[in-house]
Amino acid sequence: MQMYSRRRFLGAIGRPAVAVAAMAILNPETMKAALSTVAQRKGKPEDIAADESFWYPIQQAYTVDRSLVNLNNGGVSPSPAVVQDAMKRHLDYSHTAPVYTMWRILEPQREGVRKRLARAFGCHPEEVALTRNASEGLEICQLGFDLKAGDEILTTNQDYPRMITTFQQRERREGVILKQFSIPVPAEKPQEIVDLFEQHITARTKVILMCHMINLTGQILPVKEVVAMARRRGIPVIVDGAHALAHFDFSLQDLDCDYYATSLHKWLCAPHGTGLLYVRRDKIAALWPMMAAPDTMDDDIRKYEEIGTHPAANYLAVADALTFHQGIGAANKEARMRYLRDRWARRLIEHDRVTLHTSLKPPFACGLATVQIEGIDPEALADYLWQKHRIIVTPIKHPEFEGIRVTPNVYTTLEEIDRFTDQMEMIIKKGLPS
Ligand SMILES: Cc1ncc(COP(=O)(O)O)c(C=O)c1O
């Protein structure tokens, strides 16, 4: 393999024709070589987070539109070119004779992806189902418990709207009762969160739903502690990890939970329409699949994948996203996400009219953060940033707080972060033009 030396690499970006250098780097072979040097880089994640020569080839591995600044990677992320290529390759091959190539050759390779995900995120392959997104994995859990009228389900008032809708449909259909409670913003006392869950449990509470990371503010919740408390009371906890997996570094084993669902098209940058559901082995038999499976599959995690005809390409290219992620290193990515967030957030909180609804202390948040400028409507602000400056952010409006959510990703450059921050400072000083 052709090695892409640091000197050659820096030489390339030092030339005036940066665009030409970037195109040369996008060549798949040079890109692979550049990424392999990144993968071998040793050092403290905090130092790597601030080393632009480490992040440059990663930024160039994406095919994103650089005429705009996309700070909504929390919604859905682009995949690096290697992932797009893998997916296209598998798709092209699928179409040569799908009943043979897709079903008989490619589909069995899904088992390799299952094994790799299990190894990377700390569980057994027989506990990993590949789903189409986080919603599918979560709804399998939310609809998969037998409940009767009067049974209670407990969650916060910051859980994801679709997951709330799912339980509200069960309320209308079966007479179960959904109870939601408020949590502090930001929440820097894990025991307070555990206590809040515990205080809202009644004799009729049968299921708990909680986020690992809340999409509205980036708040990381104490999953392990809540699960341990609920387990003592015999109550299952469904964990919504849509924003957590491959965003910050943790293993499912360490969380010690029983039900965990996530998207893979957010922070892992896997193909759109991919997710992962983890169900602890001894819990599989009792949790119904959302689409029916035969009783011979009762104990088999694959019962959650009995969805009829589906593409193989998306799922197989998850492996390439995982390789890309491992090349960066989970701890390096986590540190970079905090570095990017701090770069804009620490500048903005210097201003009196600014409130950050996200903790800057490491255990409580990572790359996703929400900021409010007093007196400025978040929708108007997001609209202005897009219309006038081609900067994408997400307006957040919750009855208890509001602001704009900012989510960079590994491909985001410091210049993009600064362009956003400069505009925000201008707005803080001068307001939105009428
Ligand atoms: C907290 C949370 N849960 C679930 C979802 C649903 O994820 P997906 O669109 O992958 O189904 C999202 C999506 O943004 C989310 O933020």
Side-chain angles (χ1 to χ4, degrees), residues 74 133-135 138 160 162-163 211 213 215 240 242-243 263 265-266:
N133 44 47
S135 304
L138 289 165
Y160 194 63
R162 184 174 297 106
M163 286 37 266
C211 278
M213 175 182 267
N215 73 304
D240 178 345
H243 278 284
S263 322
H265 46 220
K266 289 187 190 286

Side-chain angles (χ1 to χ4, degrees), residues 175-383:
V176 301
I177 299 157
L178 176 64
K179 295 208 158 166
Q180 293 176 262
F181 64 91
S182 180
I183 56 171
V185 178
E188 295 180 339
K189 294 183 190 140
Q191 190 55 45
E192 190 180 356
I193 299 295
V194 181
D195 292 345
L196 279 169
F197 271 99
E198 191 157 24
Q199 283 157 22
H200 288 87
I201 290 174
T202 73
R204 293 197 287 191
T205 307
K206 292 295 181 302
V207 181
I208 288 175
L209 167 72
M210 74 178 296
C211 278
H212 193 184
M213 175 182 267
I214 295 175
N215 73 304
L216 304 169
T217 59
Q219 174 74 47
I220 299 173
L221 293 178
V223 167
K224 188 174 179 172
E225 292 77 5
V226 173
V227 169
M229 176 277 293
R231 192 176 281 139
R232 284 196 297 276
R233 293 163 155 273
I235 303 167
V237 180
I238 304 165
V239 184
D240 178 345
H243 278 284
L245 198 94
H247 179 170
F248 54 97
D249 193 15
F250 67 93
S251 86
L252 288 167
Q253 207 165 20
D254 293 344
L255 280 188
D256 196 24
C257 62
D258 298 323
Y259 310 90
Y260 191 99
T262 185
S263 322
L264 298 176
H265 46 220
K266 289 187 190 286
W267 295 94
L268 189 64
C269 299
H272 304 150
T274 54
L276 177 153
L277 168 65
Y278 160 83
V279 182
R280 193 190 285 270
R281 253 171 138 178
D282 62 1
K283 304 288 180 195
I284 296 171
L287 184 75
W288 290 102
M290 198 156 54
M291 286 179 77
D295 60 359
T296 49
M297 294 184 80
D298 274 354
D299 287 317
D300 188 343
I301 190 79
R302 293 165 196 77
K303 73 181 179 183
Y304 305 118
E305 297 174 355
E306 284 293 295
I307 59 168
T309 304
H310 52 269
N314 312 24
Y315 298 110
L316 296 193
V318 166
D320 302 82
L322 186 56
T323 301
F324 187 81
H325 176 70
Q326 290 171 330
I328 296 172
N332 295 334
K333 176 169 180 180
E334 173 175 342
R336 177 67 169 182
M337 289 300 99
R338 289 212 178 89
Y339 180 80
L340 293 179
R341 179 206 58 197
D342 284 356
R343 189 169 173 103
W344 66 264
R346 290 197 184 275
R347 243 177 90 186
L348 295 185
I349 54 171
E350 290 299 309
H351 298 269
D352 289 346
R353 289 170 57 213
V354 169
T355 308
L356 197 66
H357 296 302
T358 307
S359 171
L360 292 180
K361 295 181 186 155
F364 306 118
C366 194
L368 185 162
T370 298
V371 65
Q372 179 180 9
I373 306 176
E374 191 192 309
I376 296 196
D377 176 63
E379 274 160 15
L381 175 55
D383 197 47

Side-chain angles (χ1 to χ4, degrees), residues 52 59 66 336 340 411-418:
E52 293 314 300
Q59 291 159 358
R66 295 289 181 184
R336 177 67 169 182
L340 293 179
Y411 68 83
T412 308
T413 66
L414 299 188
E415 190 264 350
E416 288 165 345
I417 294 281
D418 292 348

Side-chain angles (χ1 to χ4, degrees), residues 110-213:
R110 186 182 171 108
E111 293 305 317
V113 180
R114 190 190 314 281
K115 284 197 179 107
R116 286 199 54 206
L117 286 168
R119 186 178 149 91
F121 298 113
C123 61
H124 195 280
E126 293 301 320
E127 298 174 319
V128 171
L130 290 164
T131 59
R132 287 170 284 194
N133 44 47
S135 304
E136 184 178 30
L138 289 165
E139 291 198 33
I140 286 169
C141 299
Q142 293 181 276
L143 302 172
F145 289 104
D146 289 322
L147 298 175
K148 55 182 189 319
D151 284 348
E152 289 176 8
I153 296 157
L154 184 61
T155 194
T156 76
N157 66 3
Q158 291 186 37
D159 273 71
Y160 194 63
R162 184 174 297 106
M163 286 37 266
I164 299 301
T165 301
T166 303
F167 280 139
Q168 285 171 340
Q169 183 171 296
R170 283 199 84 162
E171 284 188 308
R172 297 199 300 283
R173 190 172 179 183
E174 299 161 271
V176 301
I177 299 157
L178 176 64
K179 295 208 158 166
Q180 293 176 262
F181 64 91
S182 180
I183 56 171
V185 178
E188 295 180 339
K189 294 183 190 140
Q191 190 55 45
E192 190 180 356
I193 299 295
V194 181
D195 292 345
L196 279 169
F197 271 99
E198 191 157 24
Q199 283 157 22
H200 288 87
I201 290 174
T202 73
R204 293 197 287 191
T205 307
K206 292 295 181 302
V207 181
I208 288 175
L209 167 72
M210 74 178 296
C211 278
H212 193 184
M213 175 182 267

